[in-house]
C-alpha cells in the first residue's frame, strides 16, 4: 500500500464539502438563474474530476483515508475512498451532471431563461452531498447522516409545485424512509452497545468476537434497514408508488442513485462487518423473488413510469445475487452491475420524460407512432432498453455475464439464482418490446393536452427539446462507453471485489498497517 500525499488525502473531504458550498452559494445567488446554473455544473464537474483522481489513486496505491479534525480512527470520523466507493462516486456524479443539464433546459423551456429557483438548485446539490458522503464515510453514524441528507433533499424535490398526487406519493416515500431511519438509528445503538464503536473498520475487528446469535440478529437488522433503502422484496412496495409522480429529472436521479446507495451500504457492511464464508441462501431467495416479482409487476403496468419503476425493483435483485454468493467474483459482478444500472436506469427515466413531454401522457396504450414522428427519440429509447435487457454486446450483457458466472460457480443454489437471472432478463426484454410496439410503432397520435398546467410537469408539447435530448444521449454514450471499456472496468471491479472479501486492505488503511481483520 503506497502512502498518499496530504493533498490527495484531503480530496474525499473536498468531494463532500464542494456540493454543500455550491448549495450555499446557490442560495446566496438565488436572484440569478444563470449563476445558479453555472455553480451547479462547475461543482459537479469538479466532484467528477476528484472522483476520477481518487479512483486512480485507490487503484494504484490503496484506499485514500481522510481523518476529519486530525482525529485518527476509530475515535475520529474518517472518509475512505477505495476502489468501489471512488468508482461509484465517479459514475454517480457523471449521471447527476447529465441530469442537471436536462433539468436546466427543462426549466428554461417551461419557465424562461431568466427565472431562478430558490429551492431546486440548492436542494439538488444537497442531494449530491448526501450521495458523496454515503459512498465515502467510514462509520455507521455518518452513513445515517448521509441517508438523512438524501431523505430531506429528496422529499423537497419530489413535492415541488405540489399537487395532491405528489403529496400522496411523497407521504408514502417519507413515512417509509423515516421508519427505516428509525430502525437504522436503533440498529446503530445496538451495534454501539455491543461493540463500543461505529467505525466500520473497527467493527470488522470487534463483531466477530460477539456471540454468534447476537451477530446474526445485528446482521439481519442491517439487511432490513438497507433492504428498505434499496427496495428489495418484500420491502419494495413504496417505490412504484413514489417515483413515477415526480418530474423526469428527479425520478431519474432517484432511480439512478438512491437505491444504489442502499445496495452499496449492503455491500460494504455485509462484506466488512458481517462476512460469510459461504453463499447466503436467504439472500439468494430474496434476490430471486425480487427479480421475478419486479419483472411480473412491470408486465402488469400500462403507465410507462410505473413499468420502469417495477423493472428497477427487479434489477435490484440482480445485484443481490452477487452479494449473496459472497466471493470475490460475485461481489465484483455486483459492483459492475451497479455501475451499468446507475447509467441505464437514469437514462430510461429521462427518455420517458421526453416521451411524456411530447405525447402528453404516461399511458403506453394512449401513445403510438413515435418512430415516425421522432426517430431520434426512438433510438434514444431502444439502446438503453436493450442494455437493460442484457442484449449483447451492451454493458448490461457484460454485467449479467459476470453475475451468471459467479452464480454458476456457487453451487446448486447459485446456479438456480443464475437461472432466475436469465428468466428475469427475458421478462425485461418482453416488457421493453411491449413498450416499443405500443409507443413507437403504429399510427401517430395527436398529443394530449396538459391536464394539470400548474404542476412541475409540462407535457403535450409535441416536440423534443434539443439540450434535453443531448443530455439523455450523453448518458446513452456513457452506457456504450462502459460496454467498450468492459475489459479494464471489469479488472477494476475484480480488484475491488477481492478487496471487499479480503477486508485487510480497508482495515489496514483506516486503523493502520498490521491490523488485520479476523
Amino acid at each position: 500500500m503506497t502512502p498518499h500525499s496530504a493533498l490527495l488525502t484531503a480530496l474525499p473531504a473536498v468531494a463532500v464539502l464542494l456540493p454543500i458550498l455550491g448549495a450555499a452559494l446557490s442560495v446566496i445567488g438565488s436572484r440569478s438563474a444563470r449563476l445558479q446554473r453555472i455553480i451547479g455544473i462547475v461543482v459537479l464537474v469538479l466532484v467528477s474530476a476528484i472522483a476520477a483522481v481518487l479512483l486512480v489513486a485507490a487503484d494504484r496505491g490503496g484506499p485514500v483515508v481522510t481523518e476529519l479534525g486530525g482525529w485518527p480512527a476509530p475515535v475520529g470520523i474518517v472518509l475512505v475512498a477505495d476502489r468501489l466507493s471512488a468508482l461509484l462516486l465517479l459514475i454517480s456524479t457523471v449521471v447527476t451532471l447529465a441530469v442537471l443539464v436536462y433539468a436546466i433546459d427543462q426549466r428554461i423551456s417551461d419557465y424562461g431563461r431568466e427565472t431562478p429557483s430558490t429551492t431546486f438548485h440548492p436542494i439538488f446539490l444537497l442531494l449530491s452531498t448526501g450521495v458523496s458522503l454515503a459512498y465515502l464515510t467510514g462509520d455507521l453514524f455518518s452513513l445515517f447522516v448521509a441517508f438523512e441528507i438524501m431523505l430531506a433533499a429528496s422529499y423537497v424535490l419530489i413535492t415541488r409545485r405540489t399537487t395532491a398526487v405528489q403529496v400522496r406519493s411523497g407521504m408514502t416515500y417519507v413515512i417509509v424512509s423515516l421508519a427505516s431511519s428509525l430502525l437504522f438509528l436503533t440498529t446503530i445503538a445496538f451495534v454501539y452497545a455491543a461493540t463500543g464503536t461505529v467505525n466500520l473498520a473497527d467493527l470488522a475487528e470487534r463483531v466477530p468476537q460477539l456471540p454468534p446469535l447476537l451477530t446474526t440478529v445485528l446482521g439481519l437488522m442491517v439487511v432490513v434497514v438497507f433492504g428498505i433503502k434499496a427496495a428489495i422484496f418484500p420491502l419494495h412496495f413504496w417505490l412504484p408508488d413514489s417515483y413515477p409522480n415526480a418530474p423526469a429529472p428527479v425520478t431519474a436521479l432517484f432511480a439512478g442513485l438512491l437505491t444504489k446507495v442502499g445496495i452499496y451500504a449492503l455491500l460494504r457492511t455485509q462484506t466488512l462487518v458481517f462476512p460469510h464464508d459461504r453463499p447466503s441462501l436467504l439472500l439468494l431467495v430474496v434476490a430471486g423473488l425480487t427479480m421475478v416479482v419486479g419483472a411480473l409487476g412491470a408486465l402488469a403496468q400500462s403507465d410507462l413510469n410505473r413499468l420502469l419503476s417495477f423493472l428497477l425493483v427487479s434489477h435490484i435483485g440482480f445485484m443481490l445475487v452477487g452479494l449473496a454468493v459472497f466471493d470475490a467474483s460475485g461481489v465484483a459482478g455486483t459492483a459492475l452491475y451497479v455501475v451499468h444500472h446507475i447509467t441505464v436506469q437514469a437514462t430510461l427515466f429521462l427518455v420517458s420524460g421526453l416521451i411524456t413531454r411530447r405525447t402528453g401522457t404516461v399511458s403506453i396504450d394512449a401513445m403510438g407512432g413515435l418512430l415516425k414522428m421522432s426517430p431520434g427519440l426512438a433510438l434514444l429509447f431502444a439502446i438503453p432498453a436493450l442494455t437493460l435487457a442484457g442484449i449483447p454486446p451492451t454493458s448490461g450483457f457484460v454485467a449479467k455475464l459476470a453475475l451468471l458466472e459467479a452464480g454458476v460457480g456457487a453451487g446448486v443454489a447459485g446456479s438456480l439464482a443464475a437461472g432466475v437471472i436469465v428468466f428475469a432478463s427475458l421478462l425485461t426484454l418482453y416488457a421493453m418490446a411491449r413498450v416499443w410496439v405500443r409507443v413507437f410503432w403504429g399510427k401517430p397520435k395527436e398529443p394530449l393536452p396538459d391536464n394539470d398546467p400548474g404542476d412541475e410537469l409540462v407535457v403535450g408539447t409535441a416536440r423534443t427539446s434539443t439540450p434535453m435530448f443531448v443530455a439523455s444521449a450523453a448518458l446513452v454514450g456513457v452506457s456504450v462507453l462502459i460496454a467498450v471499456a468492459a475489459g479494464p472496468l471489469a479488472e477494476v471491479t475484480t480488484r475491488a471485489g477481492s478487496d471487499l472479501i479480503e477486508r485487510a486492505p480497508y482495515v489496514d488503511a483506516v486503523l493502520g498497517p498490521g491490523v488485520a481483520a479476523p
Side-chain angles (χ1 to χ4, degrees), residues 155-507:
Y155 179 66
V156 175
L157 290 175
I158 207 171
T159 55
R160 292 182 74 252
R161 296 177 67 88
T162 306
T163 64
V165 173
Q166 286 179 305
V167 169
R168 283 196 298 271
S169 62
M171 287 179 62
T172 301
Y173 175 74
V174 170
I175 290 172
V176 173
S177 297
L178 287 176
S180 66
S181 296
L182 181 61
L183 180 58
F184 190 9
L185 198 59
T186 304
T187 303
I188 293 173
F190 287 165
V191 169
Y192 185 78
T195 63
T197 184
V198 292
N199 180 275
L200 292 173
D202 203 23
L203 286 172
E205 298 289 313
R206 301 193 184 194
V207 167
Q209 301 172 18
L210 299 177
L213 181 59
L214 178 58
T215 302
T216 300
V217 171
L218 293 177
L220 286 175
M221 290 181 71
V222 169
V223 168
V224 171
V225 168
F226 296 136
I228 296 174
K229 306 290 187 183
I232 65 176
F233 178 85
L235 308 171
H236 69 289
F237 60 91
W238 59 271
L239 190 149
D241 292 329
S242 302
Y243 283 11
N245 296 312
V250 175
T251 306
L253 197 64
F254 287 6
L257 302 187
L258 299 192
T259 52
K260 309 312 180 302
V261 174
I263 289 293
Y264 168 79
L266 278 172
L267 267 175
R268 181 66 70 190
T269 54
Q270 294 303 301
T271 56
L272 184 63
V273 182
F274 303 101
H276 293 248
D277 55 3
R278 60 184 180 276
S280 169
L281 182 59
L282 173 63
L283 283 182
L284 284 173
V285 171
V286 170
L289 289 173
T290 303
M291 286 187 282
V292 174
V293 170
L296 292 177
L299 294 178
Q301 305 305 314
S302 60
D303 181 312
L304 179 56
N305 285 336
R306 284 184 63 85
L307 184 148
L308 293 177
S309 296
F310 272 102
L311 287 180
L312 167 61
V313 171
S314 176
H315 287 251
I316 294 297
F318 286 69
M319 305 168 206
L320 279 181
V321 171
L323 175 61
V325 169
F326 274 115
D327 63 12
S329 62
V331 173
T334 293
L336 185 59
Y337 203 88
V338 170
V339 170
H340 136 76
H341 199 261
I342 286 175
T343 305
V344 71
Q345 195 71 49
T347 306
L348 282 169
F349 274 108
L350 290 185
V351 175
S352 173
L354 293 178
I355 294 172
T356 303
R357 190 176 185 83
R358 189 177 186 95
T359 62
T361 180
V362 292
S363 172
I364 62 176
D365 296 325
M367 302 179 192
L370 276 184
L371 180 60
K372 295 179 180 179
M373 294 189 294
S374 181
L377 188 57
L379 179 63
L380 211 57
F381 177 84
I383 295 176
L386 293 174
T387 302
L388 188 68
I391 302 300
T394 62
S395 60
F397 171 76
V398 175
K400 286 178 184 177
L401 185 61
L403 291 176
L404 287 172
E405 291 176 349
V408 170
V412 176
S415 298
L416 290 174
V420 177
I421 288 177
V422 174
F423 178 64
S425 297
L426 292 174
L427 292 179
T428 300
L429 180 60
Y430 177 73
M432 291 290 96
R434 177 168 162 263
V435 172
W436 177 266
V437 169
R438 298 191 181 187
V439 174
F440 293 98
W441 283 3
K443 183 180 179 180
K445 298 180 180 180
E446 289 296 322
L448 300 177
D450 192 344
N451 59 4
D452 194 356
D455 66 3
E456 185 76 2
L457 297 171
V458 175
V459 298
T461 61
R463 63 183 182 86
T464 303
S465 170
T466 300
M468 293 166 69
F469 184 92
V470 170
S472 305
L475 283 187
V476 173
V478 172
S479 179
V480 172
L481 183 61
I482 290 173
V484 172
L489 182 60
E491 292 176 1
V492 172
T493 56
T494 297
R495 291 192 289 270
S498 298
D499 288 346
L500 288 171
I501 295 300
E502 291 175 9
R503 300 194 295 159
Y506 188 98
V507 174

Side-chain angles (χ1 to χ4, degrees), residues 35-117:
L35 179 60
Q36 286 185 321
R37 296 167 195 142
I38 292 174
I39 290 172
I41 291 175
V42 169
V43 165
L44 293 177
V45 168
L46 290 176
V47 175
S48 298
I50 290 171
V53 171
L54 289 174
L55 176 59
V56 173
D59 193 40
R60 293 179 177 177
V64 180
V65 180
T66 302
E67 297 175 345
L68 300 184
W71 290 89
V75 177
I77 298 174
V78 295
L79 301 177
V80 187
D82 61 355
R83 290 185 177 99
L84 177 63
S85 58
L87 176 62
L88 295 185
L89 177 62
L90 175 59
I91 193 66
S92 296
T93 309
V94 169
V95 169
T96 304
L97 177 60
V99 172
L100 179 60
V101 172
Y102 182 106
I104 287 173
D105 185 64
Q106 184 182 59
R107 290 189 58 79
I108 290 174
S109 300
D110 296 346
Y111 309 120
R113 186 172 295 276
E114 302 303 324
T115 304
S117 171

